[in-house]
Amino acid sequence: MMDYRKYKRGYFLPPVVTHDWVHKDYIDQAPLWCSVDLRDGNQALVKPMNLQEKLDMFKMLLKIGFKEIEVAFPAASDTEFQFLRTIIEEKMIPEDVTIQVITQSREHIIRRTFEALEGAPRAIVHLYNSTSVIQRQQVFQKSKEEIKQLAVDGAVLLKELAATTPGNFMFQYSPESFPGTEVDYALDICNSVLEIWKPDSANKAIINIPTTVENAMPHVFASQIEYIHKNLAYRDGVVLSVHPHNDRGSGVADAEYAILAGADRVEGTLFGNGERTGNVDIVTLAMNLYSHGIDPKLDFSSMQEIIEGYERLTQMRVAERHPYAGELVFTAFSGSHQDAIAKGMQWREKNDSPIWEVPYLPIDPKDVGRNYETDVIRVNSQSGKGGVGYMLQQSYGIQLPAGMKEEMGYLAKGASDQREKELSAEEIYDLFKAEYVDNTHNFELLDYSFKKEGGSIVATLEISKSGERETINALGNGHLDSVSNAFKAYLDVDYELSFYEEHSLGRESSAQAIAYVGLSTGGKVYWGAGIHPDIIQASVHAMLVALNRLENTK
C-alpha cells in the first residue's frame, strides 16, 4: 500500500498573489525560444553525444530556426569544451544566432567557462546556483545570506571576466531549484544580481526561472511568475525566461501560463528530452501556437526528418502518441471519427475553405509533412464505412455509394478482426475488388452485343454457367436495361435496378471508369462494380457481379 502521508506540498506562494494572467485567453506572439538540447538534454542521455553528434544536432537546431541555443557546460568535460571551441573557431555560428553556455556560481568553473568562450561573436553566459530550502539545509548547509552571496559573487566575476575576454557577452541568472524556494527570497537574489549587472533596454540581462523539479500545479507557477514579473528590478532591461521541467506532466501548461503571466522567453528541448521526465517540449509549445494561427518562429514542416535526426543523435524514441509528431497522432481508427474526418475533408474541398476546420484534426497533417493517404485514416476492427470509403477514394479514386460503403465497411472490419491486424489501403482495395469487381463465381458473361430495333435496344448475351453456354436475347429501352432484362430471363429472378452511378478514376481522356450497380430484391440490395475504359462495359460488368452476389444467396 502506498503511503501518501509522507508527502506534502513543497512550494511557496508569493507574498502577494495576483491572477491578472487568468484574464488572457490566448498567447498573441511566440516567445523567445532557447533550445537546451545540447546541454540539459544531452546530460540526460544514457550515452551523451560525441563531438560530431553535437555538431549534427547544432546544425539541425539552426535549420529549425532557433536563434538562441545553449550549447555546452564548458567546464563539465573535454567534449563540451572542445565543441564550444569548434563552433567558435570554425565560425559555425550564424550572425543572427546567439549561443549560450552554463556555469555554476563557482570561481574556477566560471573562469574555465570564459576560457572556452574566447572570441565568441555572441554568447549568453548562464550563471546559476541552487536556492531551495532543502538544498540550503541538506546539500550546502548554508544560510540564506550565504546562498545569496554565492550568486552575487558569481555575478561580479562574470562582469569582470566579460570585460577582459574577447567576445560579445550577455548575462543570465537562474535561481536553481526555484520550486522549493521562497518566492520573495528568489526575487531578492535575482534583484541583487541585477544590481551588479545594471541592465537596460539596450544591454539586457536574462532572469531565468526554472521548475527544476515541478512540484506545483501550473496556475501556482503562473502566480509566482506574475509576482516576479511585477517586482523585478530593471524590468525594462530584463528578459524574463522560464525553464519548465515535466515532473508532474504539466511542463507545457507551466510554460504557456508563464507567458500569460509575463514571461518573455522559454528554454526547452525537442520532444521534451531531459532529466527525469524531461524538459518542456518546444515542439508541442510551438505547434500549439501554430494551431491558433500564431507564427511560432520555428519550422517543423519536415517533422519526420527532425524525428529521424533526433532519434539517431539521442538514441531516444518519439512516442507514437507524442503531440503533433507521433506516428499515430493524426490517425483515426474509430468508425465515427473516420466518418467525421472524411466528411470534413470533403466539405473543405467543396467550399474551397482557406481556414483549416476539420473534425478531430487540430492542424492540417500536411503542414508537418504527413499525408492523408497513409496517416489520417487507418482501418482495423474498430473502423467503419467512413474510413474504408475515405481510403479507397484517397488511394484509388473510388467513391463508393452510401449503401455500398456501409457494406464494404463491415467487410473490412471483419477481415481486420479475423486477421487480427490493421488493413492497408492496398489490402482494402483487394477486398473490394475480390467482392465487388472479380466476383463472377456463379456464372460468367463471355460476350455480348447490341443492336437497335425501333426505339429500343436488343442485347444478345453469351453466358456460361457450370461449363454450359447459353445465348439470351432481350429488349430494353437502353443498353443496361436490355442487359438487365436478358439476365432476368436467364436467371428467372425479379429485381429492381435501384442504383446506378459512374465516375472516372482519373482526369485523362483515357482514364479508367468505374460503374456501380445496386439491385434490390426481397428487401436487400446487391452491389456490384465494374472498371473499364469503356463505361458500357464497366456498367454491364457491375450488373454481372451484383447478380453473381445475388445468386450466392439462393
Side-chain angles (χ1 to χ4, degrees):
M1 183 70 178
M2 295 190 298
D3 184 6
Y4 63 90
R5 292 168 297 183
K6 68 181 179 183
Y7 299 103
K8 67 174 185 177
R9 290 184 293 276
Y11 58 84
F12 297 88
L13 289 172
V16 178
V17 177
T18 58
H19 298 104
D20 295 346
W21 63 272
V22 172
H23 303 293
K24 303 173 185 176
D25 64 347
Y26 68 97
I27 298 169
D28 59 5
Q29 63 179 1
L32 300 172
W33 302 112
C34 179
S35 161
V36 296
D37 290 89
L38 287 166
R39 202 280 307 175
D40 208 352
N42 185 54
Q43 76 173 13
L45 298 177
V46 174
K47 179 181 175 293
M49 288 178 272
N50 60 33
L51 178 60
Q52 185 57 54
E53 288 168 339
K54 291 197 74 168
L55 289 170
D56 290 348
M57 175 65 82
F58 183 63
K59 292 173 184 176
M60 185 169 77
L61 294 170
L62 293 176
K63 187 175 180 180
I64 291 169
F66 284 99
K67 301 304 179 186
E68 294 181 6
I69 301 172
E70 189 168 85
V71 295
F73 192 148
S77 71
D78 289 340
T79 298
E80 297 280 284
F81 190 98
Q82 188 58 44
F83 172 69
L84 180 55
R85 292 310 310 158
T86 298
I87 61 174
I88 293 172
E89 293 170 7
E90 298 297 325
K91 302 188 185 305
M92 296 177 65
I93 305 167
E95 290 184 3
D96 60 345
V97 172
T98 301
I99 60 168
Q100 179 171 302
V101 297
I102 190 167
T103 174
Q104 292 173 330
S105 190
R106 299 169 65 185
E107 182 177 351
H108 71 285
I109 293 177
I110 294 172
R111 291 188 182 279
R112 179 65 170 166
T113 299
F114 273 92
E115 287 176 24
L117 279 171
E118 185 174 339
R122 287 159 306 282
I124 298 166
V125 186
H126 179 185
L127 176 75
Y128 78 93
N129 67 301
S130 196
T131 59
S132 69
V133 173
I134 60 174
Q135 291 266 15
R136 297 195 312 258
Q137 292 176 346
Q138 299 175 21
V139 180
F140 299 105
Q141 298 179 8
K142 292 182 181 294
S143 67
K144 281 186 172 181
E145 281 304 314
E146 288 174 312
I147 292 295
K148 176 179 171 181
Q149 194 61 46
L150 281 176
V152 170
D153 290 346
V156 170
L157 186 55
L158 251 67
K159 191 171 182 178
E160 291 176 357
L161 292 176
T164 59
T165 302
N168 184 15
F169 306 110
M170 182 179 185
F171 303 142
Q172 173 173 319
Y173 174 72
S174 291
E176 203 251 345
S177 67
F178 170 83
T181 305
E182 305 90 337
V183 179
D184 53 346
Y185 174 57
L187 176 68
D188 179 44
I189 296 178
C190 291
N191 282 339
S192 298
V193 167
L194 291 172
E195 190 59 41
I196 303 298
W197 292 340
K198 292 183 169 34
D200 56 36
S201 58
N203 298 284
K204 291 190 174 187
I206 301 169
I207 292 296
N208 182 61
I209 306 299
T211 61
T212 309
V213 178
E214 185 186 36
N215 68 358
M217 295 174 69
H219 75 287
V220 172
F221 186 58
S223 295
Q224 294 168 333
I225 293 298
E226 190 163 77
Y227 178 79
I228 290 173
H229 163 60
K230 290 180 176 181
N231 293 281
L232 205 56
Y234 300 93
R235 186 64 184 93
D236 290 345
V238 174
V239 176
L240 180 54
S241 176
V242 291
H243 179 112
H245 278 249
N246 200 43
D247 299 271
R248 288 173 53 91
S250 304
V252 168
D254 283 341
E256 292 183 332
Y257 284 15
I259 294 168
L260 294 177
D264 311 302
R265 179 179 183 266
V266 175
E267 294 187 348
T269 57
L270 299 177
F271 310 113
N273 180 35
E275 297 280 14
R276 303 177 310 281
T277 56
N279 292 277
V280 70
D281 174 14
I282 286 185
V283 176
T284 299
L285 282 171
M287 293 307 299
N288 281 354
L289 288 174
Y290 184 78
S291 73
H292 283 180
I294 305 298
D295 182 359
K297 306 298 183 182
L298 296 173
D299 183 3
F300 293 107
S301 58
S302 299
M303 187 71 80
Q304 190 56 41
E305 180 182 327
I306 294 168
I307 291 169
E308 289 169 1
Y310 168 84
E311 292 185 336
R312 175 177 62 85
L313 296 171
T314 66
Q315 299 181 38
M316 301 281 284
R317 187 177 67 83
V318 176
E320 289 85 353
R321 299 292 182 186
H322 194 106
Y324 302 104
E327 180 185 353
L328 298 177
V329 295
F330 299 111
T331 301
F333 289 106
S334 160
S336 60
H337 288 207
Q338 292 176 340
D339 189 54
I341 290 171
K343 288 175 178 174
M345 300 282 274
Q346 291 164 2
W347 185 93
R348 186 170 185 268
E349 183 176 354
K350 179 181 178 182
N351 291 275
D352 196 24
S353 174
I355 302 299
W356 180 263
E357 291 178 310
V358 174
Y360 299 111
L361 294 177
I363 67 163
D364 185 346
K366 285 190 174 180
D367 291 349
V368 288
R370 305 291 286 273
N371 67 72
Y372 303 143
E373 289 80 4
T374 59
D375 293 323
V376 175
I377 290 178
R378 290 162 60 174
V379 171
N380 63 14
S381 60
Q382 304 301 308
S383 306
K385 60 181 181 181
V388 171
Y390 179 83
M391 290 183 76
L392 286 173
Q393 181 173 350
Q394 288 294 313
S395 298
Y396 297 97
I398 296 170
Q399 302 170 31
L400 295 180
M404 194 177 190
K405 186 188 297 182
E406 182 172 5
E407 189 174 282
M408 181 62 204
Y410 283 114
L411 181 66
K413 284 177 67 170
S416 175
D417 195 25
Q418 184 179 22
R419 301 177 192 179
E420 297 183 344
K421 65 185 287 289
E422 176 188 349
L423 298 182
S424 67
E426 183 178 3
E427 288 171 316
I428 292 170
Y429 177 74
D430 288 344
L431 281 173
F432 167 76
K433 197 164 180 289
E435 183 65 24
Y436 298 103
V437 180
D438 297 337
N439 190 349
T440 57
H441 305 305
N442 292 298
F443 62 92
E444 295 180 83
L445 182 60
L446 301 177
D447 198 7
Y448 63 92
S449 61
F450 300 102
K451 67 177 181 179
K452 289 186 177 181
E453 192 171 292
S456 301
I457 298 291
V458 175
T460 300
L461 277 58
E462 187 177 348
I463 299 171
S464 173
K465 183 176 184 181
S466 302
E468 296 184 6
R469 297 189 177 201
E470 189 170 345
T471 299
I472 308 292
N473 296 298
L475 192 69
N477 56 20
H479 293 89
L480 200 57
D481 185 51
S482 61
V483 170
S484 177
N485 290 336
F487 276 133
K488 285 179 179 179
Y490 173 71
L491 297 171
D492 190 24
V493 64
D494 188 35
Y495 58 80
E496 178 185 351
L497 177 57
S498 58
F499 186 90
Y500 175 79
E501 192 173 276
E502 63 186 55
H503 66 79
S504 172
L505 293 176
R507 296 182 179 179
E508 297 82 8
S509 59
S510 60
Q512 298 268 73
I514 185 167
Y516 311 96
V517 164
L519 305 178
S520 300
T521 181
K524 180 173 174 57
V525 178
Y526 297 88
W527 294 95
I531 300 174
H532 197 277
D534 181 83
I535 193 57
I536 298 293
Q537 291 195 47
S539 303
V540 171
H541 186 85
M543 178 169 286
L544 173 68
V545 174
L547 285 165
N548 266 275
R549 297 184 73 242
L550 188 157
E551 281 286 287
N552 285 338
T553 64
K554 289 186 177 181

